Amino acid sequence: MLVLLPPSEGKAPSGRGAPLKPESLSLPGLADARAAVLDQLVELCAGDEEKAREVLGLSEGLRGEIAKNAELRTAGTRTAGEIYTGVLYDALDLAGLDPAARRRAGTSLLIFSGLWGAVRVGDRIPSYRCSMGVRLPGLGALGPYWRASMEAVLPAAAGDGMVLDLRSAAYAAAWKPKGELAGRTATVRVLHARIDPATGAEKRSVVSHFNKATKGRLVRELLTAGVRPRRPVELVEAVRDLGYTVEAPDPGRADRPWALDVVVSELH
């Protein structure tokens, strides 16, 4: 199973490891596209600081991210699993996985990125700031920019297994499984169910923080359990076996992804 994750806006500082070696990154078919984005981002951030801040959509308090981007080629690196932080990655807790689950994470998790396209958790990268919604001079909006390269690479990465797509909308724009592969894809939405004290009726809502946390815990539990579903219907059964309430109507067509609603009554 290939699990597609969004990155995090917040990132750990670049490490003390050797500088970036682009040729060492997974999915070498993305190398040319990565080089073009890296060139444009470094050039932008080494030039007019105000223009860079505007293009990247940074607040005044994040101005320091511009200088960090300008030094991406020489900055130290950490594994992507260490670089990405935030709610989902805190709940996933890659460092706390047992060795077998950590190995499964290394082969099944794919983190999408405005700069790198997609990387595996063991790839060594520097800390950076460049979301998928950015429009870089010379390349345009990064979501559409990445589509052709992703389409050429990711179906092979998925193989004949299923795809669990946990990306946010901005990162989902960079690649959407098509045809038969779409039928082996499942997206997940986390819904908070509560009883309205005034009416006694159940109400459901998406709460961003807990949506991310629940997705992180779910992936962790799947990795720990060694679950390897090949089709969405098997994933539904596996998630229910882990104790989750799941609603997943059959999409009715072999070329449409499954949409799973994980319903939680407690937020934590």
Side-chain angles (χ1 to χ4, degrees):
M1 180 171 66
L2 188 65
V3 182
L4 310 181
L5 298 176
S8 57
E9 287 298 320
K11 298 174 183 69
S14 294
R16 296 182 178 180
L20 174 70
K21 296 180 180 178
E23 69 279 5
S24 72
L25 298 180
S26 302
L27 305 176
L30 300 178
D32 290 345
R34 286 170 176 152
V37 179
L38 181 62
D39 286 347
Q40 290 290 327
L41 182 61
V42 170
E43 181 179 348
L44 171 71
C45 293
D48 186 322
E49 192 172 276
E50 283 304 315
K51 179 181 178 182
R53 189 164 74 89
E54 179 180 350
V55 169
L56 296 177
L58 301 178
S59 66
E60 180 63 34
L62 293 173
R63 184 180 290 271
E65 300 291 295
I66 298 170
K68 183 168 70 176
N69 280 348
E71 299 174 353
L72 283 172
R73 291 193 179 92
T74 57
T77 57
R78 298 175 186 261
T79 65
E82 295 169 317
I83 285 288
Y84 294 110
T85 59
V87 176
L88 187 153
Y89 291 92
D90 286 347
L92 177 53
D93 186 21
L94 287 167
L97 291 173
D98 64 69
R102 199 174 301 126
R103 286 193 295 273
R104 287 190 281 269
T107 58
S108 63
L109 304 188
L110 204 59
I111 305 171
F112 272 58
S113 162
L115 173 53
W116 313 115
V119 292
R120 297 196 184 276
V121 294
D123 287 337
R124 298 193 68 87
I125 57 175
S127 187
Y128 68 96
R129 191 79 176 207
C130 184
S131 71
M132 192 65 82
V134 164
R135 298 180 64 89
L136 284 178
L139 297 180
L142 290 177
Y145 168 80
W146 279 110
R147 284 177 195 158
S149 297
M150 294 290 192
E151 183 58 39
V153 170
L154 291 192
D160 60 0
M162 72 158 292
V163 175
L164 175 56
D165 189 352
L166 302 180
R167 298 172 296 166
S168 55
Y171 291 89
W175 179 63
K176 293 184 180 179
K178 298 177 182 178
E180 186 268 340
L181 180 54
R184 289 188 274 121
T185 298
T187 62
V188 172
R189 179 175 63 166
V190 179
L191 297 176
H192 175 218
R194 63 183 181 85
I195 302 300
D196 187 328
T199 65
E202 182 183 80
K203 288 190 174 183
R204 295 180 175 183
S205 60
V206 177
V207 183
S208 177
H209 176 93
F210 301 104
N211 176 55
K212 295 175 183 177
T214 300
K215 287 178 177 178
R217 284 193 294 272
L218 174 59
V219 172
R220 179 183 177 81
E221 291 176 38
L222 290 170
L223 291 170
T224 300
V227 175
R228 295 182 178 179
R230 299 185 63 82
R231 295 294 184 271
V233 66
E234 297 173 17
L235 174 67
V236 173
E237 295 173 0
V239 174
R240 285 175 176 160
D241 287 344
L242 290 172
Y244 290 88
T245 298
V246 183
E247 296 176 358
D250 190 315
R253 283 178 48 174
D255 61 350
R256 286 185 177 175
W258 286 56
L260 279 59
D261 281 343
V262 175
V263 184
V264 298
S265 57
E266 296 182 3
L267 299 179
H268 55 85

